Amino acid sequence: MKKITIPELLKKKSRAEKISMLTAYDYSFAKILDQNGIDILLVGDSLGMVVQGRRNTLAVTLEEMIYHSRCVSRATRQAHLVCDMPFLSYQASLDEAVKNCGLVMKKGHAESVKLEGGEELAPLIARLKNVGIPVMGHIGLKPTHVHLMGGYKIQGRDAQGERQLLNDAKALEKAGIYALVLEGIPAKLAAKISKSLKIPTIGIGSGAGCDGQVLVIYDLLGLYQDLKPKFVRRYAELHQTVSEAIGNYIRDVQSGKFPSEEESF
Ligand code: KIV
């Protein structure tokens, strides 16, 4: 299989081929996903919740994102590798944002960055593109805006919200993003946005009309138990599988069945 590049992702949209994306935070998972043909690996700031056990993503630092991106990059051969920019790493000033995004590519070996936000990000996106930093946008339910939204709520349900999201999508495309995550948007609106753009949209909780889909790997595998949003499909119940394996190990250690002679030197 050949390397998934940004031009290749754009071609997928023009050929109406759906794009698959999953989060990865470490080498071992990234290797499995990459070897099985995932198109895009996202080092998501969701790691603040599923890896670090925080209540939301706000406290994740730039250094932590760079660390996890570097781990994932060591296993990434075919997939495109995009890394989330954490809260406050790109909002304070344009210069600081360019530097921080550059560090994620320079030290984290990401191939692009993902920014949550609407049309207000257009000047930054244009500047990043000028220095060679490709940007994936993210609109709709923006997890870093959890307090402003009053929880993780579906966005764009009324006419004004719908207009704003359509405007945001158009402005971000014009500014130069290469793909756009649509999170927590009614399926009809997400399909409308997807049809109105030349760049691919990647949906999460936004229905089947997007050009691709993304899920958090720990949700898909049934490892993260704290939340189970309606849009998550669990393709495995690893929490149970791992619990059984650990229980068997503990019993074998306690009864002296592990290690056997074959497992000893
Ligand atoms: O942080 C994350 O995992 C995301 C999602 C789009 C899955 O941004």
Side-chain angles (χ1 to χ4, degrees), residues 35-75:
Q35 287 178 340
N36 280 284
I38 199 77
D39 290 317
I40 305 178
L41 286 174
L42 166 67
V43 183
D45 59 357
S46 51
L47 67 85
M49 297 169 78
V50 301
V51 174
Q52 299 176 336
R54 298 181 190 276
R55 288 167 65 101
N56 57 52
T57 60
L58 296 178
V60 176
T61 67
L62 183 66
E63 289 66 34
E64 288 165 349
M65 293 308 297
I66 290 173
Y67 168 79
H68 285 280
S69 183
R70 209 164 45 226
C71 295
V72 169
S73 77
R74 293 191 188 112

Side-chain angles (χ1 to χ4, degrees), residues 23 25 42 44-46 84 114 138 181 183 204 214-216:
T23 65
Y25 315 106
L42 166 67
D45 59 357
S46 51
D84 256 338
K114 177 161 82 61
H138 182 157
V181 168
E183 178 162 1
I204 174 162
V214 58
L215 282 176
V216 169

Side-chain angles (χ1 to χ4, degrees), residues 73-260:
S73 77
R74 293 191 188 112
T76 307
R77 296 287 174 273
Q78 288 158 4
H80 177 75
L81 173 53
V82 54
C83 184
D84 256 338
M85 293 305 294
F87 180 59
L88 267 198
S89 65
Y90 61 95
Q91 294 93 338
S93 79
L94 281 182
D95 286 346
E96 196 186 30
V98 172
K99 190 162 164 244
N100 288 340
C101 292
L103 284 174
V104 162
M105 295 189 63
K106 203 177 171 88
K107 292 187 173 179
H109 309 300
E111 294 159 349
S112 65
V113 297
K114 177 161 82 61
L115 308 179
E116 284 178 21
E119 57 185 342
E120 73 283 359
L121 291 181
L124 171 60
I125 289 159
R127 248 186 92 176
L128 289 169
K129 203 173 172 192
N130 272 341
V131 295
I133 301 176
V135 180
M136 177 183 282
H138 182 157
I139 61 171
L141 192 167
K142 294 171 286 193
T144 55
H145 290 218
V146 59
H147 297 306
L148 208 55
M149 294 182 296
Y152 296 109
K153 297 194 174 144
I154 301 299
Q155 302 295 300
R157 281 196 193 273
D158 59 6
Q160 206 235 318
E162 182 170 335
R163 253 195 322 274
Q164 183 64 55
L165 287 173
L166 276 161
N167 273 349
D168 284 339
K170 280 282 177 199
L172 292 171
E173 179 177 58
K174 197 162 165 232
I177 58 168
Y178 72 88
L180 179 61
V181 168
L182 302 178
E183 178 162 1
I185 294 177
K188 228 169 116 189
L189 174 57
K192 190 170 167 184
I193 295 173
S194 303
K195 281 204 189 84
S196 76
L197 301 179
K198 289 198 179 64
I199 53 157
T201 60
I202 314 285
I204 174 162
S206 299
C210 302
D211 304 305
Q213 297 292 326
V214 58
L215 282 176
V216 169
I217 186 69
Y218 282 43
D219 287 338
L220 175 149
L221 295 176
L223 277 169
Y224 185 67
Q225 303 280 307
D226 298 8
L227 290 173
K228 162 81 171 74
K230 168 181 152 115
F231 61 78
V232 167
R233 186 181 295 178
R234 282 192 181 155
Y235 284 84
E237 292 294 345
L238 286 199
H239 182 272
Q240 200 181 321
T241 309
V242 173
S243 297
E244 280 165 18
I246 303 304
N248 288 339
Y249 168 73
I250 293 170
R251 270 189 296 281
D252 285 353
V253 169
Q254 287 173 344
S255 65
K257 280 193 187 152
F258 177 80
S260 64

